[in-house]
């Protein structure tokens, strides 16, 4: 699947958590976009999952792509993550 998608334009609808950001950044594609809804701040404030954050926080990397950085900043700021089903 990854090889097939490598040259395709791919829009990712994923959880806004550490594991998903790691997957997005490691996915080998030349044309990928991370879907981030306009009300992402509200989602972190009202629907954050701090228990999942606690389970994933050891997976947090030092560096992320520019596209993922806004999500990582919110994860760190609120110590929580948001599952895509909320969106």
């Amino acid at each position: 699947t990854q090889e097939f998608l490598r040259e395709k334009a791919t829009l990712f609808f994923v959880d806004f958590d550490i594991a998903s950001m790691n997957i997005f950044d490691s996915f080998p594609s030349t044309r990928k976009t991370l879907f981030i809804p306009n009300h992402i701040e509200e989602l972190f404030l009202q629907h954050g999952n701090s228990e999942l954050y606690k389970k994933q926080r050891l997976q947090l990397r030092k560096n992320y792509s520019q596209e993922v950085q806004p999500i990582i900043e919110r994860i760190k700021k609120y110590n929580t993550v948001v599952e895509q089903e909320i969106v």
Side-chain angles (χ1 to χ4, degrees):
T1 302
Q2 286 185 2
E3 194 59 39
F4 173 77
L5 293 174
R6 185 178 301 275
E7 299 299 323
K8 307 285 191 264
T10 309
L11 179 60
F12 283 73
F13 290 90
V14 296
D15 293 337
F16 299 106
D17 63 12
I18 297 165
S20 294
M21 297 306 103
N22 290 347
I23 291 169
F24 178 85
D25 264 0
S26 66
F27 194 87
S29 178
T30 54
R31 299 181 318 184
K32 62 184 177 181
T33 304
L34 179 62
F35 173 77
I36 301 175
N38 292 334
H39 64 298
I40 190 68
E41 194 82 22
E42 179 183 321
L43 295 176
F44 271 89
L45 286 168
Q46 295 180 4
H47 303 286
N49 184 333
S50 58
E51 291 304 312
L52 182 56
Y53 164 77
K54 290 175 188 176
K55 292 177 183 176
Q56 292 185 354
R57 64 182 166 199
L58 293 177
Q59 299 173 30
L60 195 59
R61 298 177 183 170
K62 291 183 181 182
N63 297 309
Y64 285 91
S65 68
Q66 186 176 2
E67 196 161 14
V68 168
Q69 197 58 43
I71 301 301
I72 294 299
E73 289 172 5
R74 284 169 177 84
I75 289 171
K76 289 178 178 179
K77 179 179 179 180
Y78 298 113
N79 296 319
T80 192
V81 297
V82 176
E83 296 174 271
Q84 58 139 332
E85 292 83 3
I86 297 299
V87 179

